[in-house]
């Protein structure tokens, strides 16, 4: 490779790294778009460091938004899945089933050293939502060794405010008839 080409490749790589860096450190949900109803599998992606590789993340807790039922956590090797439930009052019918409760929080407990990332899946059924609804999956990340937790729970205010948030809540936009 000619020296000038090498410099451009390096500059390009630096630029890509600089552009990718802010988003890469956040807890996100994928995909970020989905249909307004039906079964979905979302992956919570956790690439954010606690501050020291030996301390690392101890758990990730996701609070499920309104309007989702039949939630199941992915079994992630090396991690224990625990959850809490909340009541649905009055109960709602979906398909042939009545639902009087749904998952409130989903937590995976384990160890993720800094410098690595991990994905945690959620299988769920979305009750019909309005086109354009944004569902927020507020999350919190706890660290080993009493390091302070990080809450990924900030929501743009007013809706649509494009100012970048420090700890945005993972968000999915629901679009009628959307197919990945
Ligand atoms: C749903 O919302 C999207 C984005 O706002 C818009 O492009 C689309 O036309 C809407 N679809 C329907 C069926 O209203
Ligand atoms: C998550 O981690 C924090 C801090 O390590 C701990 O206090 C909390 O009990 C853990 N949550 C669960 C559900 O294990
Ligand atoms: C948009 O969000 C930023 C950051 O949270 C906030 O400082 C700003 O006041 C918001 N804009 C409006 C118009 O409320």
């Amino acid at each position: 490779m000619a020296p000038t080409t090498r410099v451009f490749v390096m500059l390009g790589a630096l630029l890509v790294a600089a552009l990718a860096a802010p988003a890469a450190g956040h807890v996100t949900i994928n995909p970020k778009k989905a249909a307004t109803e039906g079964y979905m599998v979302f992956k919570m992606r956790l690439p954010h460091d606690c501050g020291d590789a030996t301390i690392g993340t101890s758990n990730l807790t996701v609070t499920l938004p309104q309007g989702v039922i039949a939630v199941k956590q992915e079994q992630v090797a090396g991690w224990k899945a625990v959850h809490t439930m909340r009541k649905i009052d009055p109960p709602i019918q979906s398909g042939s089933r009545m639902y009087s409760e749904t998952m409130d929080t989903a937590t995976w407990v384990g160890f993720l050293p800094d410098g690595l990332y991990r994905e945690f899946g959620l299988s769920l059924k979305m009750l019909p939502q309005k086109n354009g609804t944004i569902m927020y999956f507020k999350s919190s990340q706890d660290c080993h060794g009493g390091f302070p937790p990080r809450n990924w729970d900030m929501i743009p205010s007013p809706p649509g405010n494009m100012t970048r948030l420090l700890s945005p809540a993972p968000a999915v936009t629901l679009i009628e008839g959307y197919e990945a």
Side-chain angles (χ1 to χ4, degrees):
M1 208 184 279
T4 44
T5 314
R6 204 177 303 140
V7 167
F8 277 117
V9 169
M10 275 175 57
L11 283 177
L14 282 175
L15 185 62
V16 167
L19 289 174
H26 292 174
V27 172
T28 57
I29 188 167
N30 300 283
K32 298 189 194 318
K33 285 182 186 166
T36 46
E37 60 183 302
Y39 286 96
M40 275 299 296
V41 171
F42 293 107
K43 293 277 193 175
M44 308 304 301
R45 185 176 300 161
L46 170 56
H48 180 263
D49 294 346
C50 275
D52 185 322
T54 58
I55 292 165
T57 297
S58 64
N59 58 40
L60 175 72
T61 297
V62 181
T63 300
L64 281 308
Q66 296 298 317
V68 304
I69 52 171
V71 185
K72 282 188 178 174
Q73 291 175 266
E74 181 180 10
Q75 185 190 35
V76 178
W79 292 72
K80 194 174 80 170
V82 295
H83 68 269
T84 61
M85 301 291 285
R86 63 172 176 247
K87 291 257 170 298
I88 301 177
D89 190 17
I92 43 168
Q93 178 159 7
S94 179
S96 57
R97 275 196 57 181
M98 287 299 284
Y99 291 87
S100 59
E101 56 175 13
T102 189
M103 197 179 288
D104 185 31
T105 63
T107 301
W108 289 267
V109 183
F111 176 61
L112 179 68
D114 285 4
L116 302 180
Y117 83 98
R118 184 110 216 192
E119 288 190 322
F120 303 88
L122 286 168
S123 166
L124 51 82
K125 186 178 188 182
M126 288 185 298
L127 299 170
Q129 305 291 319
K130 261 182 32 207
N131 188 38
T133 299
I134 300 177
M135 270 189 171
Y136 292 99
F137 289 71
K138 290 184 178 181
S139 302
S140 66
Q141 172 186 15
D142 285 294
C143 300
H144 283 283
F147 259 55
R150 178 80 179 253
N151 293 323
W152 302 93
D153 60 358
M154 297 171 91
I155 290 172
S157 168
N161 183 346
M162 297 295 279
T163 307
R164 217 156 59 78
L165 298 169
L166 197 59
S167 298
V172 178
T173 302
L174 306 181
I175 298 164
E176 209 172 305
Y178 185 79
E179 285 177 48

Short mmCIF file of all heavy atoms in Angstrom, two decimals, residues 27-48:
data_model
loop_
_atom_site.label_atom_id
_atom_site.label_comp_id
_atom_site.label_asym_id
_atom_site.label_seq_id
_atom_site.Cartn_x
_atom_site.Cartn_y
_atom_site.Cartn_z
N VAL A 27 -26.51 0.75 26.04
CA VAL A 27 -27.38 -0.42 25.95
C VAL A 27 -28.43 -0.11 24.89
O VAL A 27 -29.08 0.94 24.93
CB VAL A 27 -28.04 -0.73 27.30
CG1 VAL A 27 -29.09 -1.82 27.15
CG2 VAL A 27 -26.99 -1.16 28.32
N THR A 28 -28.59 -1.01 23.92
CA THR A 28 -29.55 -0.78 22.84
C THR A 28 -30.44 -2.01 22.68
O THR A 28 -30.16 -3.07 23.23
CB THR A 28 -28.85 -0.52 21.50
OG1 THR A 28 -27.98 -1.62 21.20
CG2 THR A 28 -28.04 0.76 21.54
N ILE A 29 -31.51 -1.83 21.89
CA ILE A 29 -32.39 -2.94 21.55
C ILE A 29 -32.36 -3.12 20.04
O ILE A 29 -32.28 -2.14 19.29
CB ILE A 29 -33.82 -2.69 22.08
CG1 ILE A 29 -34.70 -3.93 21.90
CG2 ILE A 29 -34.46 -1.46 21.44
CD1 ILE A 29 -36.01 -3.86 22.69
N ASN A 30 -32.41 -4.34 19.59
CA ASN A 30 -32.38 -4.64 18.16
C ASN A 30 -33.37 -5.77 17.83
O ASN A 30 -33.40 -6.75 18.57
CB ASN A 30 -30.97 -5.04 17.74
CG ASN A 30 -29.98 -3.91 18.02
OD1 ASN A 30 -29.92 -2.96 17.29
ND2 ASN A 30 -29.23 -4.02 19.11
N PRO A 31 -34.15 -5.67 16.74
CA PRO A 31 -34.17 -4.52 15.84
C PRO A 31 -34.80 -3.29 16.49
O PRO A 31 -35.43 -3.39 17.54
CB PRO A 31 -35.02 -5.02 14.68
CG PRO A 31 -35.94 -6.02 15.29
CD PRO A 31 -35.13 -6.70 16.37
N LYS A 32 -34.64 -2.13 15.82
CA LYS A 32 -35.17 -0.87 16.34
C LYS A 32 -36.52 -0.52 15.72
O LYS A 32 -37.12 0.49 16.07
CB LYS A 32 -34.18 0.26 16.07
CG LYS A 32 -32.86 0.02 16.79
CD LYS A 32 -31.96 1.21 16.72
CE LYS A 32 -30.55 0.86 17.12
NZ LYS A 32 -30.48 -0.01 18.30
N LYS A 33 -36.95 -1.36 14.74
CA LYS A 33 -38.27 -1.17 14.13
C LYS A 33 -39.00 -2.50 14.16
O LYS A 33 -38.37 -3.55 14.00
CB LYS A 33 -38.13 -0.71 12.68
CG LYS A 33 -37.72 0.72 12.54
CD LYS A 33 -37.64 1.11 11.09
CE LYS A 33 -37.08 2.52 10.94
NZ LYS A 33 -36.70 2.80 9.55
N ALA A 34 -40.31 -2.44 14.35
CA ALA A 34 -41.10 -3.66 14.38
C ALA A 34 -42.52 -3.33 13.95
O ALA A 34 -42.90 -2.16 13.88
CB ALA A 34 -41.09 -4.25 15.78
N ALA A 35 -43.31 -4.38 13.67
CA ALA A 35 -44.72 -4.19 13.35
C ALA A 35 -45.46 -3.75 14.61
O ALA A 35 -44.92 -3.81 15.72
CB ALA A 35 -45.30 -5.48 12.81
N THR A 36 -46.71 -3.31 14.46
CA THR A 36 -47.46 -2.76 15.60
C THR A 36 -48.12 -3.84 16.44
O THR A 36 -48.75 -3.52 17.45
CB THR A 36 -48.54 -1.77 15.10
OG1 THR A 36 -49.23 -2.38 14.00
CG2 THR A 36 -47.93 -0.46 14.66
N GLU A 37 -48.04 -5.11 16.03
CA GLU A 37 -48.57 -6.20 16.86
C GLU A 37 -47.93 -7.52 16.47
O GLU A 37 -47.30 -7.62 15.41
CB GLU A 37 -50.09 -6.29 16.71
CG GLU A 37 -50.57 -6.56 15.30
CD GLU A 37 -52.10 -6.57 15.22
OE1 GLU A 37 -52.73 -7.38 15.92
OE2 GLU A 37 -52.65 -5.77 14.45
N GLY A 38 -48.09 -8.49 17.35
CA GLY A 38 -47.62 -9.83 17.05
C GLY A 38 -46.37 -10.22 17.82
O GLY A 38 -45.87 -9.48 18.65
N TYR A 39 -45.91 -11.42 17.53
CA TYR A 39 -44.74 -11.96 18.25
C TYR A 39 -43.46 -11.37 17.71
O TYR A 39 -43.32 -11.15 16.50
CB TYR A 39 -44.71 -13.48 18.12
CG TYR A 39 -45.74 -14.16 18.98
CD1 TYR A 39 -46.98 -14.54 18.44
CD2 TYR A 39 -45.49 -14.40 20.32
CE1 TYR A 39 -47.95 -15.15 19.23
CE2 TYR A 39 -46.46 -15.01 21.12
CZ TYR A 39 -47.67 -15.38 20.57
OH TYR A 39 -48.62 -15.96 21.37
N MET A 40 -42.54 -11.09 18.62
CA MET A 40 -41.24 -10.54 18.25
C MET A 40 -40.16 -11.12 19.16
O MET A 40 -40.44 -11.48 20.29
CB MET A 40 -41.20 -9.02 18.46
CG MET A 40 -41.72 -8.15 17.35
SD MET A 40 -40.82 -8.32 15.80
CE MET A 40 -39.18 -7.73 16.24
N VAL A 41 -38.96 -11.17 18.64
CA VAL A 41 -37.80 -11.41 19.50
C VAL A 41 -36.90 -10.19 19.39
O VAL A 41 -36.53 -9.78 18.28
CB VAL A 41 -37.03 -12.68 19.09
CG1 VAL A 41 -35.71 -12.77 19.86
CG2 VAL A 41 -37.86 -13.92 19.36
N PHE A 42 -36.63 -9.59 20.54
CA PHE A 42 -35.70 -8.45 20.59
C PHE A 42 -34.44 -8.89 21.33
O PHE A 42 -34.50 -9.70 22.25
CB PHE A 42 -36.32 -7.27 21.34
CG PHE A 42 -37.49 -6.64 20.62
CD1 PHE A 42 -38.78 -6.83 21.10
CD2 PHE A 42 -37.29 -5.87 19.49
CE1 PHE A 42 -39.87 -6.25 20.44
CE2 PHE A 42 -38.37 -5.29 18.83
CZ PHE A 42 -39.65 -5.48 19.30
N LYS A 43 -33.32 -8.32 20.93
CA LYS A 43 -32.07 -8.57 21.65
C LYS A 43 -31.62 -7.28 22.33
O LYS A 43 -31.50 -6.24 21.68
CB LYS A 43 -30.98 -8.99 20.65
CG LYS A 43 -31.23 -10.34 20.01
CD LYS A 43 -30.78 -11.48 20.89
CE LYS A 43 -30.75 -12.78 20.10
NZ LYS A 43 -30.21 -13.89 20.89
N MET A 44 -31.41 -7.36 23.63
CA MET A 44 -30.83 -6.25 24.35
C MET A 44 -29.31 -6.39 24.24
O MET A 44 -28.77 -7.45 24.57
CB MET A 44 -31.22 -6.27 25.84
CG MET A 44 -32.72 -6.39 26.11
SD MET A 44 -33.74 -5.11 25.35
CE MET A 44 -33.04 -3.63 26.09
N ARG A 45 -28.67 -5.35 23.74
CA ARG A 45 -27.22 -5.42 23.55
C ARG A 45 -26.52 -4.57 24.61
O ARG A 45 -26.83 -3.39 24.77
CB ARG A 45 -26.85 -4.94 22.15
CG ARG A 45 -25.36 -5.09 21.83
CD ARG A 45 -25.08 -4.69 20.40
NE ARG A 45 -25.84 -5.53 19.47
CZ ARG A 45 -26.09 -5.19 18.21
NH1 ARG A 45 -25.67 -4.05 17.73
NH2 ARG A 45 -26.80 -6.01 17.44
N LEU A 46 -25.60 -5.20 25.32
CA LEU A 46 -24.91 -4.53 26.43
C LEU A 46 -23.41 -4.46 26.14
O LEU A 46 -22.67 -5.42 26.38
CB LEU A 46 -25.18 -5.31 27.73
CG LEU A 46 -24.39 -4.96 28.98
CD1 LEU A 46 -24.54 -3.49 29.33
CD2 LEU A 46 -24.84 -5.82 30.14
N PRO A 47 -22.95 -3.32 25.61
CA PRO A 47 -21.53 -3.14 25.35
C PRO A 47 -20.88 -2.13 26.28
O PRO A 47 -19.72 -1.77 26.08
CB PRO A 47 -21.54 -2.59 23.92
CG PRO A 47 -22.80 -1.76 23.86
CD PRO A 47 -23.75 -2.27 24.94
N HIS A 48 -21.62 -1.67 27.31
CA HIS A 48 -21.12 -0.57 28.13
C HIS A 48 -20.29 -1.10 29.30
O HIS A 48 -20.71 -2.00 30.02
CB HIS A 48 -22.27 0.29 28.66
CG HIS A 48 -21.81 1.42 29.51
ND1 HIS A 48 -21.79 1.36 30.88
CD2 HIS A 48 -21.30 2.63 29.18
CE1 HIS A 48 -21.31 2.50 31.36
NE2 HIS A 48 -21.01 3.27 30.35
#
